Amino acid sequence: MAQRYVRVQSQTGQLHYGLLRPDRSVQVLDAPPWLQGQPTETELLPGGYDLLAPCAPSKVVAVGKNYPDHAAEMGTATPTEPLLFIKPSTAVTAAGAPVYYPTQASQVDYEGELAVVIGDRCAHVPPEEARAKIWGYTIANDITARDLQKRDGQWTRAKGFDTFCPLGPWIVRELSPGARLQTFLNNQETPVQSASVDEMTYSPDYLVAYISGIMTLLPGDVILTGTPAGVGPLSVGDQVRVAIEGIGTLDNSITLRA
């Protein structure tokens, strides 16, 4: 099993990065792993911590319509260059955490995605050096208020609500180029989304180089690489699961804020 890097909060309220062991205990690191964090003698036992989003990015840069079949289902052609938008860091939430259905919206959609975690400062990175800047991979759900996206004509509000960027449950260092991404609703066996990540138009390496020519990417920042066809609406009470081979599953529930 690939090493799984997590971010957790202990029962005393301390935040830690660590390595998740097969028995679900966590070996604590002395710094984020992309900042050369090393294992310590501290161990958190199962039940002694809460799993958080696996990183705390300064920004989440997302890519729209990066799978041709999704561009087609949205009624558009594949963009001739990456279509970028930003989700605020405050949208990030953890695996298992609730996604809050905003009162302003009438259609909230799931969008299962592969997420890339940046390991080094990136500014104007040449394409041939981009892969070395990717520290690892995790799973994301680019939750979108579709009605607001159409109404506003730009995507900040529709994509930016608190809890609209579930990430996790952990980060792995390597991923098969042909890993399959699937999204499931309410524990059904048939996925509503299913694609190989190598079907995306612009690869993670390309995206790192392209985005770094626009804005500096910092260690721990996240790139959402786009969603395949099959996006659709969520209702309060729904359970949504995004699974990527070689990483695991990201599970969240849809609820109203109390």
Side-chain angles (χ1 to χ4, degrees):
M1 179 181 294
Q3 287 188 317
R4 298 173 291 178
Y5 293 85
V6 294
R7 180 170 160 265
V8 300
Q9 185 171 28
S10 70
Q11 290 180 331
T12 61
Q14 292 178 296
L15 301 181
H16 300 283
Y17 287 90
L19 278 168
L20 184 67
R21 293 170 171 159
D23 66 358
R24 307 294 291 190
S25 65
V26 172
Q27 183 178 22
V28 171
L29 304 177
D30 60 10
W34 41 89
L35 298 180
Q36 290 73 55
Q38 297 299 310
T40 69
E41 295 182 358
T42 302
E43 179 182 354
L44 299 176
L45 298 177
Y49 61 86
D50 292 319
L51 194 65
L52 305 177
C55 55
S58 74
K59 56 188 170 295
V60 177
V61 186
V63 184
K65 303 178 183 179
N66 197 26
Y67 287 76
D69 55 357
H70 174 58
E73 77 174 349
M74 301 301 287
T76 64
T78 299
T80 56
E81 56 185 334
L83 175 61
L84 304 183
F85 59 94
I86 287 182
K87 293 174 83 81
S89 60
T90 47
V92 172
T93 194
V99 171
Y100 294 113
Y101 201 115
T103 57
Q104 300 96 318
S106 60
Q107 182 181 341
V108 172
D109 286 8
Y110 56 83
E111 295 190 7
E113 308 203 6
L114 172 67
V116 170
V117 180
I118 299 299
D120 194 12
R121 183 183 176 92
C122 299
H124 303 284
V125 174
E128 64 272 15
E129 298 177 14
R131 177 161 296 189
K133 303 295 186 180
I134 296 174
W135 194 87
Y137 305 88
T138 189
I139 306 171
N141 194 341
D142 175 22
I143 304 291
T144 304
R146 192 71 68 198
D147 59 317
L148 301 183
Q149 184 184 28
K150 294 175 181 177
R151 184 190 309 169
D152 292 350
Q154 51 82 22
W155 301 359
T156 301
R157 180 167 64 143
K159 302 279 192 175
F161 285 97
D162 289 355
T163 74
F164 266 31
C165 189
L167 285 178
W170 42 68
I171 300 168
V172 299
R173 296 299 313 273
E174 302 292 337
L175 188 72
S176 168
R180 182 148 293 272
L181 182 159
Q182 295 183 306
T183 304
F184 300 85
L185 293 181
N186 299 321
N187 298 312
Q188 295 178 357
E189 294 184 2
T190 302
V192 290
Q193 292 183 287
S194 184
S196 171
V197 297
D198 61 7
E199 295 174 28
M200 64 179 70
T201 301
Y202 301 106
S203 70
D205 297 0
Y206 185 94
L207 293 173
V208 170
Y210 181 86
I211 295 167
S212 76
I214 302 163
M215 66 191 80
T216 298
L217 295 167
L218 301 177
D221 279 353
V222 169
I223 297 173
L224 307 188
T225 59
T227 195
V231 300
L234 294 163
S235 299
V236 173
D238 280 350
Q239 305 286 324
V240 57
R241 166 175 289 182
V242 184
I244 298 181
E245 289 178 324
I247 303 178
T249 62
L250 173 67
D251 295 83
N252 297 91
S253 59
I254 313 303
T255 188
L256 291 175
R257 191 179 297 275

CSV table of all heavy atoms in Angstrom, one decimal, residues 32 42 49 54 79 128 139 142 240 252:
chain,number,residue,atom,x,y,z
A,32,PRO,N,5.1,19.9,7.5
A,32,PRO,CA,4.4,19.4,6.3
A,32,PRO,C,5.4,18.5,5.5
A,32,PRO,O,6.5,18.9,5.4
A,32,PRO,CB,3.9,20.6,5.6
A,32,PRO,CG,3.8,21.6,6.6
A,32,PRO,CD,4.9,21.4,7.6
A,42,THR,N,6.2,10.8,18.2
A,42,THR,CA,4.8,11.0,18.6
A,42,THR,C,3.9,10.1,17.7
A,42,THR,O,4.0,10.1,16.5
A,42,THR,CB,4.4,12.5,18.5
A,42,THR,OG1,5.2,13.2,19.4
A,42,THR,CG2,2.9,12.7,19.0
A,49,TYR,N,-7.8,11.3,17.2
A,49,TYR,CA,-7.6,12.5,16.3
A,49,TYR,C,-8.8,12.6,15.3
A,49,TYR,O,-9.5,11.6,15.1
A,49,TYR,CB,-6.3,12.4,15.5
A,49,TYR,CG,-6.3,11.2,14.5
A,49,TYR,CD1,-6.9,11.2,13.3
A,49,TYR,CD2,-5.8,9.9,15.0
A,49,TYR,CE1,-6.9,10.1,12.4
A,49,TYR,CE2,-5.8,8.8,14.1
A,49,TYR,CZ,-6.3,8.9,12.9
A,49,TYR,OH,-6.3,7.8,12.1
A,54,PRO,N,-6.2,17.1,3.8
A,54,PRO,CA,-4.8,16.7,3.9
A,54,PRO,C,-3.8,17.9,3.7
A,54,PRO,O,-2.6,17.7,3.9
A,54,PRO,CB,-4.6,15.7,2.8
A,54,PRO,CG,-5.7,16.0,1.8
A,54,PRO,CD,-6.8,16.5,2.6
A,79,PRO,N,-11.9,23.9,-24.4
A,79,PRO,CA,-11.2,25.2,-24.5
A,79,PRO,C,-9.9,25.0,-25.2
A,79,PRO,O,-9.2,24.0,-25.0
A,79,PRO,CB,-11.0,25.6,-23.0
A,79,PRO,CG,-12.1,24.9,-22.3
A,79,PRO,CD,-12.3,23.6,-23.0
A,128,GLU,N,9.1,21.0,-18.9
A,128,GLU,CA,9.9,19.8,-18.6
A,128,GLU,C,10.3,19.7,-17.1
A,128,GLU,O,10.7,18.7,-16.6
A,128,GLU,CB,11.2,19.8,-19.4
A,128,GLU,CG,12.2,20.9,-19.2
A,128,GLU,CD,11.9,22.2,-20.0
A,128,GLU,OE1,10.8,22.3,-20.6
A,128,GLU,OE2,12.8,23.1,-20.1
A,139,ILE,N,-8.0,13.6,-3.7
A,139,ILE,CA,-9.3,13.6,-4.4
A,139,ILE,C,-10.0,14.9,-4.0
A,139,ILE,O,-9.9,15.3,-2.9
A,139,ILE,CB,-10.1,12.3,-3.9
A,139,ILE,CG1,-9.3,11.1,-4.2
A,139,ILE,CG2,-11.4,12.3,-4.7
A,139,ILE,CD1,-10.0,9.8,-3.6
A,142,ASP,N,-15.5,19.3,-6.6
A,142,ASP,CA,-15.7,20.7,-7.0
A,142,ASP,C,-17.2,21.0,-6.9
A,142,ASP,O,-17.8,21.1,-8.0
A,142,ASP,CB,-15.1,21.0,-8.3
A,142,ASP,CG,-15.3,22.4,-8.8
A,142,ASP,OD1,-15.6,23.3,-7.9
A,142,ASP,OD2,-15.3,22.7,-10.0
A,240,VAL,N,-22.4,11.5,-1.2
A,240,VAL,CA,-21.6,11.5,-2.5
A,240,VAL,C,-20.2,11.0,-2.2
A,240,VAL,O,-19.6,11.3,-1.2
A,240,VAL,CB,-21.6,12.9,-3.1
A,240,VAL,CG1,-21.0,14.0,-2.2
A,240,VAL,CG2,-20.8,12.9,-4.4
A,252,ASN,N,-18.7,12.5,1.4
A,252,ASN,CA,-19.3,13.7,2.1
A,252,ASN,C,-20.8,13.6,2.0
A,252,ASN,O,-21.4,13.0,1.1
A,252,ASN,CB,-18.8,15.0,1.5
A,252,ASN,CG,-17.3,15.2,1.6
A,252,ASN,OD1,-16.6,14.8,0.7
A,252,ASN,ND2,-16.9,15.8,2.7
